Amino acid sequence: MKKSGVFFIVLLILFGCNLASPKRSLKEKTDEVIQLQNLARKSQNNDSILYYVQQSQKLLDYNSEISDTLHLENKFLKGYYFKRKNNLDSARYYFHEVIKLVKNDKGITRNLVYFRNAWEMEELLNKIGNAISIAKDYIKIYEDQEIKYASKLMYAYNYLERANLDLRDYKEASKYNNKTLIAANNAGSIPMYITASCSKISDFYFTGKKNEAFKLLDSISKIKLGTDSKRQVNRSYGVLNFYEGKFKLSIKYYKKVIALTKQLEKEENIEANKVDHNYNFLEAYTNISEAYLEVKDYDLAKKYLDTTKTIIKVNSFEPYVDFYYSLRFLLNYNTKKEQNDVLTEYKELINDNKRTLRKNVGEKLYALQLANEKEKIVIKEKNELELRNIKLLALSGISVLLLVIGILFYRQRNYKFEKQEVQMQQRLLRSQMNSHFSFNTLSVIQDKIKDDQELAANYLTKFSRLLRLLLSNSLSNYVVIEDELDLLRKYLDLQLYRFPNAFEYKVELVNIEEDDILFIPPMLIQPFIENSIEHGFKGIDYKGKILIKLELLNEKYISCLIDDNGVGLKQTKKEYKNSISTNLISKFTQKITKRKISILDKKELKPKEKGVRVEFLIPYKFTNND
């Protein structure tokens, strides 16, 4: 049967080669990958992004000679796809894979994009410490040539400043603010220099250095600035004068901020570079409303608050939305004479907020519907073009299809036989391990009866409970991970009852909770623990330690580590080699995971280390169905 399958595959390859167009050059293949990746970056539809990424991945898989940077970019685009789908854990996985492959390569032009997405993903998952660590790793790539790579470093410095401000570590924030200023100056980036300077101005002012704050603000205002930089400078003037109690002067600057934000929006009204300025508008309108409330000009305060209300969206910056409602309440309180009027107005504000949310959600859904319709038209045109090409190869396609159907039929039947073989092997494994384990335990009880009948009786009671759980787990090919861990702990506690204070153990879970609904094959871990206790700790004059570490790697496997501090592999090599259980487990896991079990003497890692380290993969499922 296997020979016939190979024949089908060879025939398919030969047939495909005869039908194929002349071999394309490496440049043509590379250009096609670049084009597909560009389409993925520009697409606004998640399904289209995934389609382009998959097509480029096929080319990369069959053309390993294509540049490593394109392989790297495709991994990043997979992460970008999951980020768009709001699957943050998967996005985080791919972003981390990318930055691990980057290492210290300064030549990768999109390093900043890769690392920036990685640290922003950590920030979204509220793991600020990890985000800071990634930004620092990025800085290490270029820090030996700070002046040359200033344009790359300034963004990481600026992020570390903001992150440390969030953590209220003002000393570190000030340090990275200074680095941002130096890098922006070396890079000749006026926008970043102004951003960092405005942050420095706030730091000066709110730490009591008011003169230095105004002096720095006056100096940067004299630089020839772009529209956004002017907006930031006028905003700083407005904020500082507000806190100085110069409300009318503050209003003057806030009006300039609004005008500059509108101008900026017009300048960036090109679809490819369009930026959402909702954040800046909300900040400007709420700031000027607050200033008008301070000077008791309630009519103008109401005017600007009414404008603010019209621009609040579902995804608007929440603190500014809250600020708007606070100001609106203050306006009502200062303009209504009766308390009931204030309460009525407040309730109306809440209802307005709900209506705005419903309206914006509707608008968002309608916009999404339009985008989907547009994407459907593009896909339809693309499909029509592909259909014309398919018709030209119809005859050859039918022939290839028949071959493919034959191969798929063969593979399906072969897979069914392999699955049955694996299940039979798994049942054999459990039956042999169960009998082996039971025999060893009963032998121990027999010895205990001679020395201490009461101890033997207690030991037998504990063993019967363990055996009941063991037999229950053995009824299924897969058991929930919580039950398997319960069995392991009962077994270890039973052994501690047998050898009081002889050893201690620890179960560590990474990326897994014990009550997660994950199903694994039973009795894969216990035999290695038994080896540690029976052979590894035999004859030692110190307390033994066992670490059982399970880590969720991906959607298929859990990594299992069993680490002890026993006598090591050299003295127990014979026992490991002749162990029925470990041999059966090795064959079973290698058949399922395609990876051998690693059994390593820790002295090979560090000469002073003692013990054995066992590592292997455990397959898992989300149900107990075979």
Side-chain angles (χ1 to χ4, degrees), residues 440-469:
N440 286 350
T441 306
L442 289 171
S443 296
V444 171
I445 294 172
Q446 184 181 19
D447 293 338
K448 290 289 180 184
I449 290 172
K450 297 175 184 177
D451 301 330
D452 189 337
Q453 291 185 358
E454 184 178 351
L455 180 64
N458 290 334
Y459 192 74
L460 183 60
T461 301
K462 289 182 178 289
F463 171 64
S464 66
R465 291 171 184 167
L466 176 62
L467 190 61
R468 189 180 300 113
L469 182 60

mmCIF file of all heavy atoms in Angstrom, residues 440-469:
data_model
loop_
_atom_site.group_PDB
_atom_site.id
_atom_site.type_symbol
_atom_site.label_atom_id
_atom_site.label_comp_id
_atom_site.label_asym_id
_atom_site.label_seq_id
_atom_site.Cartn_x
_atom_site.Cartn_y
_atom_site.Cartn_z
ATOM 1 N N ASN A 440 4.769 -3.409 42.025
ATOM 2 C CA ASN A 440 5.785 -2.765 42.868
ATOM 3 C C ASN A 440 5.193 -2.338 44.205
ATOM 4 O O ASN A 440 5.794 -2.516 45.270
ATOM 5 C CB ASN A 440 6.370 -1.543 42.164
ATOM 6 C CG ASN A 440 7.312 -1.937 41.040
ATOM 7 O OD1 ASN A 440 7.672 -3.094 40.898
ATOM 8 N ND2 ASN A 440 7.706 -0.963 40.227
ATOM 9 N N THR A 441 3.992 -1.736 44.156
ATOM 10 C CA THR A 441 3.374 -1.232 45.376
ATOM 11 C C THR A 441 2.991 -2.367 46.316
ATOM 12 O O THR A 441 3.208 -2.301 47.532
ATOM 13 C CB THR A 441 2.133 -0.402 45.024
ATOM 14 O OG1 THR A 441 2.503 0.608 44.078
ATOM 15 C CG2 THR A 441 1.562 0.281 46.255
ATOM 16 N N LEU A 442 2.412 -3.425 45.794
ATOM 17 C CA LEU A 442 2.015 -4.572 46.618
ATOM 18 C C LEU A 442 3.234 -5.249 47.255
ATOM 19 O O LEU A 442 3.170 -5.738 48.383
ATOM 20 C CB LEU A 442 1.225 -5.576 45.781
ATOM 21 C CG LEU A 442 -0.184 -5.114 45.370
ATOM 22 C CD1 LEU A 442 -0.781 -6.082 44.359
ATOM 23 C CD2 LEU A 442 -1.096 -4.987 46.589
ATOM 24 N N SER A 443 4.346 -5.231 46.524
ATOM 25 C CA SER A 443 5.579 -5.798 47.085
ATOM 26 C C SER A 443 6.026 -4.993 48.302
ATOM 27 O O SER A 443 6.468 -5.555 49.311
ATOM 28 C CB SER A 443 6.689 -5.795 46.027
ATOM 29 O OG SER A 443 6.332 -6.636 44.958
ATOM 30 N N VAL A 444 5.900 -3.676 48.196
ATOM 31 C CA VAL A 444 6.274 -2.809 49.318
ATOM 32 C C VAL A 444 5.371 -3.081 50.512
ATOM 33 O O VAL A 444 5.815 -3.174 51.659
ATOM 34 C CB VAL A 444 6.180 -1.325 48.901
ATOM 35 C CG1 VAL A 444 6.343 -0.414 50.117
ATOM 36 C CG2 VAL A 444 7.243 -1.007 47.870
ATOM 37 N N ILE A 445 4.041 -3.204 50.267
ATOM 38 C CA ILE A 445 3.079 -3.474 51.345
ATOM 39 C C ILE A 445 3.396 -4.812 52.017
ATOM 40 O O ILE A 445 3.340 -4.941 53.248
ATOM 41 C CB ILE A 445 1.639 -3.471 50.793
ATOM 42 C CG1 ILE A 445 1.272 -2.049 50.314
ATOM 43 C CG2 ILE A 445 0.644 -3.932 51.843
ATOM 44 C CD1 ILE A 445 -0.047 -1.978 49.575
ATOM 45 N N GLN A 446 3.765 -5.793 51.213
ATOM 46 C CA GLN A 446 4.112 -7.110 51.752
ATOM 47 C C GLN A 446 5.293 -7.005 52.719
ATOM 48 O O GLN A 446 5.293 -7.609 53.795
ATOM 49 C CB GLN A 446 4.449 -8.071 50.604
ATOM 50 C CG GLN A 446 4.728 -9.504 51.065
ATOM 51 C CD GLN A 446 5.069 -10.410 49.886
ATOM 52 O OE1 GLN A 446 5.432 -9.941 48.827
ATOM 53 N NE2 GLN A 446 4.944 -11.710 50.086
ATOM 54 N N ASP A 447 6.293 -6.206 52.335
ATOM 55 C CA ASP A 447 7.456 -6.012 53.206
ATOM 56 C C ASP A 447 7.056 -5.285 54.491
ATOM 57 O O ASP A 447 7.547 -5.592 55.579
ATOM 58 C CB ASP A 447 8.538 -5.229 52.475
ATOM 59 C CG ASP A 447 9.140 -6.032 51.320
ATOM 60 O OD1 ASP A 447 9.035 -7.275 51.369
ATOM 61 O OD2 ASP A 447 9.699 -5.404 50.395
ATOM 62 N N LYS A 448 6.152 -4.299 54.371
ATOM 63 C CA LYS A 448 5.733 -3.514 55.531
ATOM 64 C C LYS A 448 4.936 -4.362 56.538
ATOM 65 O O LYS A 448 4.973 -4.118 57.743
ATOM 66 C CB LYS A 448 4.885 -2.328 55.079
ATOM 67 C CG LYS A 448 5.654 -1.255 54.333
ATOM 68 C CD LYS A 448 6.583 -0.492 55.264
ATOM 69 C CE LYS A 448 7.338 0.581 54.498
ATOM 70 N NZ LYS A 448 8.306 1.274 55.372
ATOM 71 N N ILE A 449 4.168 -5.339 56.030
ATOM 72 C CA ILE A 449 3.364 -6.200 56.907
ATOM 73 C C ILE A 449 4.265 -6.937 57.909
ATOM 74 O O ILE A 449 3.933 -7.100 59.083
ATOM 75 C CB ILE A 449 2.525 -7.187 56.078
ATOM 76 C CG1 ILE A 449 1.409 -6.422 55.341
ATOM 77 C CG2 ILE A 449 1.928 -8.282 56.953
ATOM 78 C CD1 ILE A 449 0.645 -7.271 54.359
ATOM 79 N N LYS A 450 5.439 -7.327 57.453
ATOM 80 C CA LYS A 450 6.373 -8.048 58.331
ATOM 81 C C LYS A 450 6.881 -7.148 59.449
ATOM 82 O O LYS A 450 7.092 -7.581 60.577
ATOM 83 C CB LYS A 450 7.543 -8.571 57.503
ATOM 84 C CG LYS A 450 7.149 -9.581 56.438
ATOM 85 C CD LYS A 450 8.353 -9.959 55.581
ATOM 86 C CE LYS A 450 7.942 -10.911 54.447
ATOM 87 N NZ LYS A 450 9.104 -11.211 53.566
ATOM 88 N N ASP A 451 7.113 -5.850 59.138
ATOM 89 C CA ASP A 451 7.727 -4.923 60.094
ATOM 90 C C ASP A 451 6.695 -4.182 60.936
ATOM 91 O O ASP A 451 6.870 -3.998 62.145
ATOM 92 C CB ASP A 451 8.610 -3.915 59.352
ATOM 93 C CG ASP A 451 9.697 -4.613 58.560
ATOM 94 O OD1 ASP A 451 10.133 -5.684 58.970
ATOM 95 O OD2 ASP A 451 10.090 -4.056 57.503
ATOM 96 N N ASP A 452 5.647 -3.666 60.293
ATOM 97 C CA ASP A 452 4.687 -2.801 60.994
ATOM 98 C C ASP A 452 3.311 -2.980 60.356
ATOM 99 O O ASP A 452 3.013 -2.382 59.313
ATOM 100 C CB ASP A 452 5.142 -1.338 60.908
ATOM 101 C CG ASP A 452 4.324 -0.430 61.800
ATOM 102 O OD1 ASP A 452 3.184 -0.773 62.137
ATOM 103 O OD2 ASP A 452 4.833 0.661 62.140
ATOM 104 N N GLN A 453 2.452 -3.798 60.964
ATOM 105 C CA GLN A 453 1.163 -4.123 60.355
ATOM 106 C C GLN A 453 0.237 -2.902 60.276
ATOM 107 O O GLN A 453 -0.507 -2.728 59.312
ATOM 108 C CB GLN A 453 0.482 -5.243 61.161
ATOM 109 C CG GLN A 453 1.176 -6.587 61.046
ATOM 110 C CD GLN A 453 0.408 -7.675 61.750
ATOM 111 O OE1 GLN A 453 -0.616 -7.429 62.359
ATOM 112 N NE2 GLN A 453 0.929 -8.920 61.675
ATOM 113 N N GLU A 454 0.279 -2.034 61.307
ATOM 114 C CA GLU A 454 -0.584 -0.836 61.287
ATOM 115 C C GLU A 454 -0.180 0.105 60.148
ATOM 116 O O GLU A 454 -1.032 0.621 59.423
ATOM 117 C CB GLU A 454 -0.481 -0.108 62.628
ATOM 118 C CG GLU A 454 -1.427 1.089 62.716
ATOM 119 C CD GLU A 454 -1.343 1.769 64.067
ATOM 120 O OE1 GLU A 454 -0.686 1.218 64.998
ATOM 121 O OE2 GLU A 454 -1.927 2.865 64.203
ATOM 122 N N LEU A 455 1.128 0.306 60.012
ATOM 123 C CA LEU A 455 1.629 1.139 58.910
ATOM 124 C C LEU A 455 1.257 0.534 57.568
ATOM 125 O O LEU A 455 0.837 1.242 56.643
ATOM 126 C CB LEU A 455 3.147 1.304 59.014
ATOM 127 C CG LEU A 455 3.807 2.155 57.930
ATOM 128 C CD1 LEU A 455 3.302 3.600 58.025
ATOM 129 C CD2 LEU A 455 5.326 2.127 58.062
ATOM 130 N N ALA A 456 1.366 -0.770 57.473
ATOM 131 C CA ALA A 456 1.028 -1.454 56.222
ATOM 132 C C ALA A 456 -0.453 -1.294 55.899
ATOM 133 O O ALA A 456 -0.844 -1.097 54.743
ATOM 134 C CB ALA A 456 1.386 -2.933 56.315
ATOM 135 N N ALA A 457 -1.309 -1.336 56.932
ATOM 136 C CA ALA A 457 -2.753 -1.186 56.717
ATOM 137 C C ALA A 457 -3.081 0.218 56.209
ATOM 138 O O ALA A 457 -3.883 0.395 55.279
ATOM 139 C CB ALA A 457 -3.511 -1.468 58.016
ATOM 140 N N ASN A 458 -2.468 1.230 56.836
ATOM 141 C CA ASN A 458 -2.679 2.608 56.379
ATOM 142 C C ASN A 458 -2.170 2.804 54.954
ATOM 143 O O ASN A 458 -2.798 3.464 54.128
ATOM 144 C CB ASN A 458 -1.953 3.593 57.306
ATOM 145 C CG ASN A 458 -2.619 3.673 58.671
ATOM 146 O OD1 ASN A 458 -3.817 3.419 58.797
ATOM 147 N ND2 ASN A 458 -1.850 4.007 59.697
ATOM 148 N N TYR A 459 -1.022 2.205 54.708
ATOM 149 C CA TYR A 459 -0.435 2.304 53.370
ATOM 150 C C TYR A 459 -1.341 1.639 52.338
ATOM 151 O O TYR A 459 -1.533 2.149 51.224
ATOM 152 C CB TYR A 459 0.942 1.628 53.399
ATOM 153 C CG TYR A 459 1.781 1.898 52.185
ATOM 154 C CD1 TYR A 459 2.389 3.132 51.990
ATOM 155 C CD2 TYR A 459 1.979 0.905 51.226
ATOM 156 C CE1 TYR A 459 3.164 3.378 50.877
ATOM 157 C CE2 TYR A 459 2.757 1.143 50.115
ATOM 158 C CZ TYR A 459 3.353 2.382 49.947
ATOM 159 O OH TYR A 459 4.110 2.623 48.837
ATOM 160 N N LEU A 460 -1.941 0.497 52.723
ATOM 161 C CA LEU A 460 -2.838 -0.232 51.821
ATOM 162 C C LEU A 460 -4.103 0.587 51.535
ATOM 163 O O LEU A 460 -4.604 0.610 50.411
ATOM 164 C CB LEU A 460 -3.204 -1.583 52.440
ATOM 165 C CG LEU A 460 -4.090 -2.500 51.576
ATOM 166 C CD1 LEU A 460 -3.391 -2.835 50.268
ATOM 167 C CD2 LEU A 460 -4.418 -3.768 52.351
ATOM 168 N N THR A 461 -4.610 1.297 52.555
ATOM 169 C CA THR A 461 -5.804 2.140 52.372
ATOM 170 C C THR A 461 -5.525 3.250 51.361
ATOM 171 O O THR A 461 -6.319 3.513 50.448
ATOM 172 C CB THR A 461 -6.224 2.763 53.715
ATOM 173 O OG1 THR A 461 -6.507 1.717 54.640
ATOM 174 C CG2 THR A 461 -7.468 3.627 53.536
ATOM 175 N N LYS A 462 -4.366 3.909 51.547
ATOM 176 C CA LYS A 462 -4.007 4.984 50.612
ATOM 177 C C LYS A 462 -3.796 4.442 49.201
ATOM 178 O O LYS A 462 -4.182 5.059 48.209
ATOM 179 C CB LYS A 462 -2.737 5.694 51.093
ATOM 180 C CG LYS A 462 -2.941 6.557 52.330
ATOM 181 C CD LYS A 462 -1.655 7.258 52.718
ATOM 182 C CE LYS A 462 -1.888 8.156 53.930
ATOM 183 N NZ LYS A 462 -2.693 9.325 53.569
ATOM 184 N N PHE A 463 -3.187 3.258 49.147
ATOM 185 C CA PHE A 463 -2.947 2.658 47.836
ATOM 186 C C PHE A 463 -4.269 2.312 47.140
ATOM 187 O O PHE A 463 -4.423 2.496 45.934
ATOM 188 C CB PHE A 463 -2.087 1.405 47.983
ATOM 189 C CG PHE A 463 -1.981 0.610 46.706
ATOM 190 C CD1 PHE A 463 -1.360 1.152 45.581
ATOM 191 C CD2 PHE A 463 -2.511 -0.670 46.606
ATOM 192 C CE1 PHE A 463 -1.272 0.423 44.414
ATOM 193 C CE2 PHE A 463 -2.433 -1.381 45.440
ATOM 194 C CZ PHE A 463 -1.812 -0.832 44.329
ATOM 195 N N SER A 464 -5.263 1.830 47.896
ATOM 196 C CA SER A 464 -6.551 1.466 47.295
ATOM 197 C C SER A 464 -7.241 2.693 46.696
ATOM 198 O O SER A 464 -7.864 2.616 45.632
ATOM 199 C CB SER A 464 -7.451 0.798 48.335
ATOM 200 O OG SER A 464 -7.802 1.719 49.357
ATOM 201 N N ARG A 465 -7.110 3.838 47.400
ATOM 202 C CA ARG A 465 -7.698 5.078 46.858
ATOM 203 C C ARG A 465 -6.990 5.507 45.569
ATOM 204 O O ARG A 465 -7.620 5.933 44.610
ATOM 205 C CB ARG A 465 -7.590 6.191 47.892
ATOM 206 C CG ARG A 465 -8.481 5.966 49.106
ATOM 207 C CD ARG A 465 -8.178 6.974 50.195
ATOM 208 N NE ARG A 465 -8.969 6.705 51.400
ATOM 209 C CZ ARG A 465 -8.732 7.279 52.585
ATOM 210 N NH1 ARG A 465 -7.733 8.144 52.702
ATOM 211 N NH2 ARG A 465 -9.487 6.995 53.630
ATOM 212 N N LEU A 466 -5.664 5.367 45.610
ATOM 213 C CA LEU A 466 -4.893 5.707 44.412
ATOM 214 C C LEU A 466 -5.238 4.767 43.266
ATOM 215 O O LEU A 466 -5.400 5.185 42.114
ATOM 216 C CB LEU A 466 -3.405 5.648 44.729
ATOM 217 C CG LEU A 466 -2.442 5.888 43.549
ATOM 218 C CD1 LEU A 466 -2.641 7.300 42.992
ATOM 219 C CD2 LEU A 466 -0.998 5.688 43.979
ATOM 220 N N LEU A 467 -5.368 3.495 43.571
ATOM 221 C CA LEU A 467 -5.667 2.499 42.542
ATOM 222 C C LEU A 467 -7.038 2.754 41.918
ATOM 223 O O LEU A 467 -7.221 2.588 40.716
ATOM 224 C CB LEU A 467 -5.613 1.098 43.158
ATOM 225 C CG LEU A 467 -5.678 -0.072 42.156
ATOM 226 C CD1 LEU A 467 -4.507 -0.022 41.207
ATOM 227 C CD2 LEU A 467 -5.694 -1.400 42.917
ATOM 228 N N ARG A 468 -8.011 3.175 42.756
ATOM 229 C CA ARG A 468 -9.338 3.484 42.243
ATOM 230 C C ARG A 468 -9.264 4.621 41.205
ATOM 231 O O ARG A 468 -9.874 4.545 40.147
ATOM 232 C CB ARG A 468 -10.263 3.880 43.393
ATOM 233 C CG ARG A 468 -11.736 4.011 42.961
ATOM 234 C CD ARG A 468 -12.621 4.410 44.133
ATOM 235 N NE ARG A 468 -12.572 3.412 45.209
ATOM 236 C CZ ARG A 468 -12.032 3.638 46.409
ATOM 237 N NH1 ARG A 468 -11.517 4.818 46.685
ATOM 238 N NH2 ARG A 468 -12.028 2.695 47.338
ATOM 239 N N LEU A 469 -8.489 5.673 41.539
ATOM 240 C CA LEU A 469 -8.326 6.800 40.609
ATOM 241 C C LEU A 469 -7.564 6.363 39.362
ATOM 242 O O LEU A 469 -7.887 6.754 38.240
ATOM 243 C CB LEU A 469 -7.581 7.935 41.309
ATOM 244 C CG LEU A 469 -7.369 9.217 40.498
ATOM 245 C CD1 LEU A 469 -8.702 9.824 40.065
ATOM 246 C CD2 LEU A 469 -6.580 10.236 41.320
#
